[in-house]
Amino acid sequence: MHIEAPENYGPEDKNFDDDGRAKRTGTWLTASAHIITAVIGSGVLSLAWAIAQMGWVAGPAVLFAFSFITYFTSTLLADCYRSPDPVHGKRNYTYTEVVRANLGGRKFQLCGLAQYINLVGVTIGYTITASISMVAVQRSNCFHKHGHQDKCYVSNNPFMIIFACIQIVLCQIPNFHELSWLSIVAAVMSFAYSSIGLGLSVAKVAGGGNHVTTSLTGVQIGVDVTATEKVWRMFQAIGDIAFAYAFSNVLIEIQDTLKSSPPENRVMKRASLIGILTTTLFYVLCGTLGYAAFGNDAPGNFLTGFGFYEPFWLIDFANVCIAVHLIGAYQVFVQPIFGFVEGQSKQKWPDSKFVNGEHAMNIPLYGSYNVNYFRVIWRSCYVIITAIIAMLFPFFNDFLGLIGSLSFYPLTVYFPIEMYIKKTNMPKYSFTWTWLKILSWLCLVISIISAAGSIQGLATSLKTYKPFRGEQ
């Protein structure tokens, strides 16, 4: 959604920017806030488990390494918002437009494929995570009532169905993902549950009495896991950390909110530094304090794995926050998929009344609402299919790790580096070209091994899991 300039618009018009759109007012402060909101999400819940797999040395080191790589590539991406010149060139409004302007053709198609795979994966992952949090509320109350020794088995599936029903309704609201309060609610919720987890970890560590085992190298071979399991779990933990830092998808959209003076690329680099430093500090605290609280037995999701039992009402509140956050976040990630499929369908069948026809319907307390039959059926089918896949693979850590490893390399590393090389006409085999390529290849190897770890984790979990009877 944007406002076009009037016909008599001139370059000096104070109400419009150089591209004819309404004047942008964003600053480094608002951009930093957007970045923190985009990054801190459900990925934070698995960090204690990830640190436990790698230990006190490698765990924080991997967190810092990912934060540095993310910051470095985001500075490269910031210079690509305008092309060909990073200060005065033509604006690009989305990540895919930036790739098309700088690399074109086949790489633009590959970028689109990577983005949509990531978006589909995230919607499935959010269905799993939201249902686990809903289940956790019921289990928390059960533990409080019957004692911590009770098994309190609860199936995820009814809650996945509830989540899907809510999404089917929300999917029909026009421009729901653009509602200004949505990101505010998401930010408040994500900070609330992250802070509760952090606070409970501090309380558990400070309280003492409950001695846990931690080590420099994490879970111990022969005590907690076999040597093979240790390797696979470390790979999966890398994927979980990669998922926690995934925000490249929205970086260009955030930069597009900035006012043009001082130059957007300079302001965005500053905002990226502040946003990623804040996020990393928060992640290191959550990961290390979570590990200190639970040791090598840290649960995959430290708010639903029942490392914490009391105060039960606070655990309930944190999990309700997660569910509310993910209900809104699902819409943010699913709308680009809907837009792409519906746009392609309209191009292919321009004369179809089923695809293009709008039918007015009166809804009590709302008024007139335009219904498109194709939109209703296709969007509902998408939500149902993602819910069914989530029921087949309801494994939080494995799925998060897989999404993180698949999206981190192409979107956070490969495309920003390739665009920067092309944009600066960097000579092949020069020193900078060589080390950028080494970084790119190194990140590819890391992504492959973390994806392998997550796939192995999914395969192991599926051996004992009976689909559609998902007991927690």
Side-chain angles (χ1 to χ4, degrees):
M1 294 287 292
H2 65 274
I3 303 167
E4 292 291 354
E7 286 181 22
N8 59 355
Y9 153 78
E12 302 303 317
D13 195 309
K14 290 180 180 179
N15 297 318
F16 297 92
D17 273 328
D18 55 1
D19 60 345
R21 294 194 175 188
K23 202 156 193 74
R24 295 158 177 85
T25 56
T27 63
W28 65 269
L29 198 60
T30 59
S32 300
H34 282 312
I35 290 169
I36 294 165
T37 304
V39 181
I40 294 177
S42 56
V44 75
L45 301 169
S46 65
L47 292 179
W49 180 88
I51 300 284
Q53 309 317 305
M54 294 184 279
W56 287 117
V57 179
V62 170
L63 266 174
F64 283 119
F66 270 92
S67 70
F68 171 74
I69 292 167
T70 305
Y71 168 67
F72 173 70
T73 56
S74 69
T75 62
L76 302 184
L77 199 53
D79 284 334
C80 298
Y81 167 63
R82 288 179 181 263
S83 56
D85 183 80
V87 178
H88 304 292
K90 180 182 174 293
R91 296 174 190 264
N92 299 291
Y93 305 111
T94 64
Y95 192 103
T96 44
E97 280 185 30
V98 168
V99 173
R100 178 160 53 189
N102 289 280
L103 299 174
R106 184 64 56 86
K107 286 181 179 175
F108 163 66
Q109 292 173 335
L110 284 173
C111 172
L113 182 65
Q115 271 201 306
Y116 288 117
I117 288 172
N118 177 49
L119 292 171
V120 171
V122 168
T123 56
I124 296 167
Y126 281 4
T127 305
I128 296 167
T129 312
S131 69
I132 289 172
S133 292
M134 293 175 192
V135 164
V137 173
Q138 196 166 334
R139 290 189 74 205
S140 171
N141 295 338
C142 172
F143 285 131
H144 181 71
K145 190 175 180 181
H146 301 292
H148 301 168
Q149 303 311 311
D150 197 292
K151 290 184 177 178
C152 289
Y153 283 129
V154 181
S155 172
N156 289 346
N157 294 339
F159 294 95
M160 288 195 191
I161 292 167
I162 291 167
F163 184 81
C165 290
I166 293 168
Q167 294 302 340
I168 286 171
V169 174
L170 295 182
C171 284
Q172 309 310 325
I173 299 174
N175 300 325
F176 178 80
H177 64 299
E178 291 181 3
L179 296 179
S180 58
W181 52 266
L182 189 64
S183 64
I184 296 167
V185 170
V188 171
M189 293 295 128
S190 60
F191 268 110
Y193 64 72
S194 301
S195 301
I196 290 168
L198 187 58
L200 288 170
S201 296
V202 171
K204 188 161 183 169
V205 173
N210 183 22
H211 295 293
V212 296
T213 306
T214 64
S215 74
L216 293 175
T217 54
V219 290
Q220 295 174 306
I221 296 168
V223 179
D224 305 301
V225 290
T226 64
T228 309
E229 283 174 336
K230 168 83 172 173
V231 173
W232 284 121
R233 281 187 175 198
M234 283 182 71
F235 290 168
Q236 188 185 324
I238 291 169
D240 282 354
I241 291 171
F243 178 82
Y245 273 107
F247 85 105
S248 295
N249 259 355
V250 293
L251 190 139
I252 295 297
E253 281 86 345
I254 293 171
Q255 191 165 344
D256 192 44
T257 65
L258 296 173
K259 54 187 179 184
S260 52
S261 180
E264 302 96 346
N265 61 332
R266 207 168 76 212
V267 175
M268 196 63 196
K269 287 173 186 178
R270 184 183 180 189
S272 296
L273 180 63
I274 294 164
I276 292 169
L277 274 177
T278 307
T279 303
T280 302
L281 176 66
F282 201 70
Y283 279 0
V284 169
L285 284 172
C286 285
T288 54
L289 286 169
Y291 182 41
F294 302 117
N296 293 338
D297 295 324
N301 177 334
F302 77 162
L303 282 174
T304 63
F306 289 91
F308 299 116
Y309 291 95
E310 300 294 340
F312 81 100
W313 57 268
L314 190 59
I315 311 295
D316 287 357
F317 177 70
N319 281 299
V320 168
C321 287
I322 295 170
V324 172
H325 174 212
L326 296 182
I327 284 168
Y330 183 101
Q331 286 298 314
V332 173
F333 283 91
V334 82
Q335 289 294 338
I337 302 169
F338 292 161
F340 174 74
V341 171
E342 287 158 21
Q344 292 293 311
S345 301
K346 284 178 181 178
Q347 281 183 12
K348 193 163 187 181
W349 299 290
D351 302 321
S352 168
K353 287 184 180 177
F354 174 68
V355 172
N356 299 292
E358 296 282 347
H359 307 272
M361 181 184 289
N362 281 318
I363 298 174
L365 305 175
Y366 179 82
S368 181
Y369 173 69
N370 288 331
V371 176
N372 173 278
Y373 295 143
F374 171 71
R375 187 167 62 230
V376 170
I377 293 168
W378 137 247
R379 291 186 177 196
S380 302
C381 286
Y382 177 87
V383 174
I384 291 164
I385 290 165
T386 53
I388 290 169
I389 295 170
M391 288 179 196
L392 288 169
F393 306 101
F395 312 114
F396 174 76
N397 281 78
D398 305 316
F399 216 92
L400 247 57
L402 185 60
I403 299 164
S405 51
L406 289 178
S407 61
F408 177 76
Y409 173 70
L411 301 175
T412 305
V413 180
Y414 175 75
F415 286 116
I417 286 177
E418 289 299 307
M419 286 190 289
Y420 183 75
I421 288 172
K422 179 88 179 284
K423 199 176 180 68
T424 56
N425 295 316
M426 196 176 291
K428 216 172 184 180
Y429 307 115
S430 65
F431 175 75
T432 310
W433 184 93
T434 304
W435 75 258
L436 281 174
K437 286 290 186 181
I438 290 169
L439 176 65
S440 182
W441 282 103
L442 186 64
C443 290
L444 174 61
V445 172
I446 290 168
S447 289
I448 290 169
I449 62 173
S450 64
S454 299
I455 291 167
Q456 191 273 342
L458 279 171
T460 304
S461 300
L462 281 171
K463 285 178 185 175
T464 55
Y465 175 70
K466 294 177 181 177
F468 304 110
R469 287 180 57 191
E471 290 183 332
Q472 182 81 4

